[in-house]
Amino acid sequence: MIKKNKLLKQAQKCEKAGDFAGRDKIVQASVPDWARFVIETAGGTVEVTGLEHIPQNRAVVFIGNHQSYMDIPLLLGYTGKHTAFVAKAELGKIPVLAPWMKLLPCTFIERKSIKKSMEAIHQAAENVKKGYSQMIFPEGTRSKGGAWHEFKAGSFKLAFNSGAPIVPVTIDGTYHLYEETGRLRPGHVKLTVHPPIETAQLTREQKAALPAQVQDIITHSLTAPLTE
């Protein structure tokens, strides 16, 4: 804990000085270790397939289903790519976690305000253009192992506005680690990474059809596909 606090202060100092490369070096070395520690402490075992689909030379927008609070450490720890999140504003108030999220850099979204939500998506798109991959959960809330919720089309503007490829990911089983019982417990988790989808040259009609297509790709790979 003392080491992590020291690294946090070093990263914050770099950011304040405008040394973003120094900040990113610290964050990219520290956050995945922390994320894997969280999953392992809960007793989680992780099976990952499809990592070869993730472009390594450019920023991407990961889009996935949302089962659990554990989805964030899963993706931070096991994709092998430095990634930030578009997260609900409440997460930006959690001690210890929030400072690191801000350094990633994550974007916090006020879901009750359409205007602020759109501003957050714009900010996140600008971060993608700067080279920071982003993750967003179009369901908007955790399914907790129950029926998945319809993907919100507005979430896809993050990819459209940045011109980045979408990398769909299927998260299967994270709810076993916490939501199923309301306390940490062991469980097996599967993370499936699907081939990227380019967004830069899509027509208006193709953009309108994409949310349903990505939703089908993601939910089809669930162990027991669920519908509302």
Side-chain angles (χ1 to χ4, degrees), residues 104-117:
L104 278 169
C106 291
T107 305
F108 299 101
I109 190 167
E110 295 281 356
R111 293 181 295 179
K112 295 181 180 180
S113 169
I114 295 178
K115 180 181 178 180
K116 290 183 178 180
S117 295

Side-chain angles (χ1 to χ4, degrees), residues 15 20-21 23-24 28 57-60 82 104-105 107 122-134 158 161-164:
E15 182 174 65
F20 300 115
R23 175 200 67 183
D24 293 345
Q28 291 174 25
N57 60 347
R58 59 196 294 206
V60 304
H82 179 61
L104 278 169
T107 305
H122 175 75
Q123 179 184 340
E126 291 301 309
N127 284 334
V128 175
K129 292 177 183 178
K130 293 176 183 177
Y132 298 100
S133 294
Q134 301 283 318
L158 173 54
N161 292 351
S162 64

Side-chain angles (χ1 to χ4, degrees), residues 6 18 28 62 106 165 210:
K6 183 177 180 180
Q28 291 174 25
F62 289 103
C106 291
L210 194 58

Side-chain angles (χ1 to χ4, degrees), residues 163-216:
I166 288 172
V167 177
V169 294
T170 301
I171 298 166
D172 194 3
T174 47
Y175 67 94
H176 291 309
L177 305 182
Y178 178 72
E179 279 76 6
E180 195 166 51
T181 62
R183 62 181 184 274
L184 294 179
R185 56 167 289 180
H188 187 64
V189 178
K190 293 182 179 180
L191 175 62
T192 305
V193 181
H194 304 279
I197 301 170
E198 295 293 339
T199 65
Q201 304 300 323
L202 295 181
T203 65
R204 181 179 298 179
E205 290 75 17
Q206 289 171 326
K207 288 180 179 179
L210 194 58
Q213 294 172 3
V214 172
Q215 178 175 289
D216 286 344

